[in-house]
Amino acid sequence: MIGSVPAFTAADGTRLAYHVRGEGEPLVVLPGGPMRASAYLGDLGGLAAHRRLVLLDLRGTGDSAAPADPASYRCDRQVDDVEMLRAHMGLDHMDVLAHSAGASLAILYAAAHPHRVRRLALITGNPSALGLRPTPEERLAAARLRSAEPWFDEAFPLLEAWLTGTGDFDEAMMPFFYGRWDDAARAHDAAAEKQTNDAAGDRYFADGAFTPDATRAALRLLTAPVLVYAGELDGGPSPALARRAAEAFPNAEVAVQPGTAHYPWLDGPEWFVRRTLGFLDA
């Protein structure tokens, strides 16, 4: 325990914390960001009313300690942390849900430990572990779907400049990541700075993190059902990229939530819970 927060010790001695919400069958949840504390996931739109969410704070985020070796922030180096959590919980196999950048960690975990995964849900997942990344063109095509929004005329040129390398990231672009740019979305976005370890995030996708051909080969042994989940308005991944990612798994299905972007449990919680729970409980 770290204070009142449950914790376990990783193989390198780093103390890692996790947060438990809800009752029922456990669902291990891996956050994105990359390297954002799991607090931003909340109760996943009410999913905690149906499953016991076990939300891992990745090393150096939230209530987890920073590692002695910063190189261990790299995505593939954290696969053992997920396996140590499974062992700590005493589970022979487990259901896993991962969001955004956390999906690449989940994919690497499934490739390394295919028999430990019962069901895998990749929510608006970053498929870099499969050698897939959204292109600027794909992101801009998704952004143009928002052309009727009052913030579009200001935000779109900034997004275009950032994606084409002629401008820096600007907070004015954040509405593209949400299906509705309302007070809840603004509050969720405002919390990101304090919840995210930017230095660790810079190392998460470092060179050497991914070997897509080897990962794809290993995933042939994954018998677990996989849900690849996309938001209709999201550019990373777009529904089309989610479908391409699903082809890497022997037993996968794709869900596209209407009217949502990168945080579907915020944009449409009832739809999200119904679809996700339908997959997990099938």
Side-chain angles (χ1 to χ4, degrees):
M1 304 278 286
I2 298 177
S4 60
V5 179
F8 62 99
T9 303
D12 66 353
T14 304
R15 295 285 286 172
L16 302 181
Y18 59 96
H19 301 264
V20 179
R21 297 190 180 97
E23 303 291 339
E25 286 290 315
L27 173 63
V28 171
V29 181
L30 305 180
M35 302 305 289
R36 184 171 177 180
S38 65
Y40 83 95
L41 295 160
D43 67 353
L44 285 173
L47 190 59
H50 307 275
R51 298 295 292 264
R52 176 160 56 98
L53 306 184
V54 180
L55 301 111
L56 178 64
D57 279 342
L58 302 183
R59 48 183 53 220
T61 72
D63 291 306
S64 288
D69 179 9
S72 68
Y73 287 129
R74 202 174 73 175
C75 184
D76 61 315
R77 297 279 299 274
Q78 299 190 60
V79 169
D80 284 346
D81 294 348
V82 182
E83 175 61 2
M84 291 294 285
L85 174 60
R86 180 202 62 78
H88 167 77
M89 295 175 62
L91 300 173
D92 288 333
H93 52 269
M94 59 187 181
D95 293 340
V96 179
L97 181 149
H99 174 243
S100 192
S104 278
L105 175 56
I107 290 168
L108 293 184
Y109 178 80
H113 303 279
H115 303 300
R116 297 300 191 185
V117 179
R118 186 168 66 178
R119 285 182 175 267
L120 175 61
L122 305 175
I123 308 301
T124 59
N126 182 315
S128 294
L130 301 173
L132 299 173
R133 293 295 297 270
T135 65
E137 293 76 19
E138 288 171 330
R139 284 187 172 273
L140 291 172
R144 291 187 183 98
L145 299 174
R146 318 297 296 279
S147 61
E149 299 281 2
W151 41 262
F152 179 86
D153 289 343
E154 176 191 3
F156 185 82
L158 296 169
L159 180 69
E160 187 172 32
W162 176 59
L163 290 173
T164 56
T166 59
D168 295 328
F169 189 89
D170 193 295
E171 277 294 313
M173 304 181 315
M174 289 309 299
F176 286 114
F177 292 83
Y178 295 86
R180 295 186 311 275
W181 189 236
D182 55 14
D183 289 344
R186 290 185 183 93
H188 188 264
D189 173 57
E193 184 175 358
K194 289 184 177 180
Q195 293 172 343
T196 305
N197 184 335
D198 290 325
D202 289 341
R203 293 177 177 269
Y204 189 81
F205 291 119
D207 289 346
F210 305 123
T211 52
D213 290 345
T215 298
R216 287 173 176 270
L219 288 173
R220 294 173 191 154
L221 299 177
L222 181 69
T223 59
V226 178
L227 174 65
V228 183
Y229 200 107
E232 179 187 25
L233 305 176
D234 196 10
S238 66
L241 185 60
R243 293 185 182 98
R244 289 169 57 199
E247 294 172 357
F249 304 98
N251 182 13
E253 60 186 271
V254 177
V256 179
Q257 184 170 336
T260 65
H262 201 59
Y263 304 97
W265 67 92
L266 289 178
D267 296 334
E270 293 181 0
W271 206 101
F272 173 80
V273 170
R274 182 172 64 252
R275 184 63 180 87
T276 304
L277 199 63
F279 166 75
L280 293 172
D281 290 348

